[in-house]
Amino acid sequence: MSSWRGWIWAGLALSLYVFGGLLIMAGLVMIGILGAQDLWGLGEARGMGYLAFFVGIVLSVMGVLIMRIMRNRGVA
């Protein structure tokens, strides 16, 4: 039973890390390339890019922290 819990935490950590990285890249594209264009009526691309960039950083850091906690506690 404990090994399944480790696999679930590992999948969650890896998913957060990868999704965060994708958001960081998408944010950089929106900031650098799209600039002042309107994104489907949701707002300026630069503002949405900053939001995606910083949320991506937070998700990536959370994924890394979960991985480090799992390793230090011997879960994975």
Side-chain angles (χ1 to χ4, degrees):
M1 187 71 169
S2 178
S3 68
W4 286 105
R5 190 171 6 148
W7 280 104
I8 291 171
W9 279 108
L12 175 70
L14 188 62
S15 299
L16 284 175
Y17 183 68
V18 169
F19 188 65
L22 291 174
L23 275 178
I24 290 171
M25 289 298 129
L28 289 174
V29 166
M30 285 189 267
I31 293 167
I33 295 175
L34 297 179
Q37 291 182 5
D38 186 43
L39 288 180
W40 310 290
L42 296 174
E44 199 174 86
R46 192 177 310 124
M48 300 297 283
Y50 283 122
L51 177 67
F53 181 74
F54 288 114
V55 169
I57 287 175
V58 169
L59 288 178
S60 289
V61 168
M62 281 178 47
V64 169
L65 285 176
I66 291 172
M67 286 186 237
R68 294 300 302 168
I69 290 169
M70 286 177 50
R71 182 174 176 176
N72 289 338
R73 297 204 177 162
V75 176

